[in-house]
Amino acid sequence: MQLFSRYQNSAGERVRIALNLKQIAYEYVPLGTLTPEQYRAINPQGLAPALRVEDRVIAQSTAILEYLEETHPAPPLLPRDPLARAEVRGFAQLITSEVHPLNNLRVRLYLRDRIGVGEAEGRVWYCHWIRTAFAALERILAG
Ligand SMILES: N[C@@H](CCC(=O)N[C@@H](CS)C(=O)NCC(=O)O)C(=O)O
């Protein structure tokens, strides 16, 4: 198994945490060792992480996490109770589906380079979505 990622990559860190928690052996391939073209040949979207399993590649951190959970159920990432599982998934999706896509590097670069958003306004954008998401996450956790 090979994990393609880089150290600043929060989505890749989700996967590394799961791999380490489940004590699954894997090779870590830093993206800095590949050209963008080489990596796009592995993961056409070019986002990280990607997990290569034999000759197949899984993209998207949550899909990778589900694969790891299904193939290596112990220790589990999810609780047993279906309602608690749904709560955990909802919590995770608040990050992966809501806040992360809004603040990802390519979005911030697009705002800056194509729409002309300056550094200060870009920071307002970033902080707004982080603050909104974390306020909700903290309320959920407190409950
Ligand atoms: N939904 C994807 C997001 C992957 C993603 O966007 N990764 C970031 C790093 S945390 C990335 O590759 N960003 C590069 C960019 O935005 O250009 C997942 O969960 O795997």
Side-chain angles (χ1 to χ4, degrees), residues 49-69:
L51 187 73
R52 181 145 63 191
V53 183
E54 295 164 13
D55 62 345
R56 311 269 290 272
V57 174
I58 315 169
Q60 295 292 333
S61 60
T62 48
I64 298 171
L65 291 174
E66 284 175 20
Y67 170 77
L68 296 177
E69 184 76 339

Side-chain angles (χ1 to χ4, degrees), residues 4-58:
F4 297 85
S5 188
R6 64 162 57 90
Y7 70 93
Q8 308 102 318
N9 180 328
S10 61
E13 292 303 289
R14 291 172 201 143
V15 173
R16 285 185 72 192
I17 290 168
L19 285 163
N20 292 335
L21 192 74
K22 291 175 176 292
Q23 299 190 343
I24 301 169
Y26 67 99
E27 179 193 352
Y28 182 76
V29 183
L31 287 190
T33 62
L34 303 175
T35 65
E37 295 71 32
Q38 285 172 324
Y39 184 55
R40 276 187 195 275
I42 294 163
N43 177 7
Q45 201 185 5
L47 298 178
L51 187 73
R52 181 145 63 191
V53 183
E54 295 164 13
D55 62 345
R56 311 269 290 272
V57 174
I58 315 169

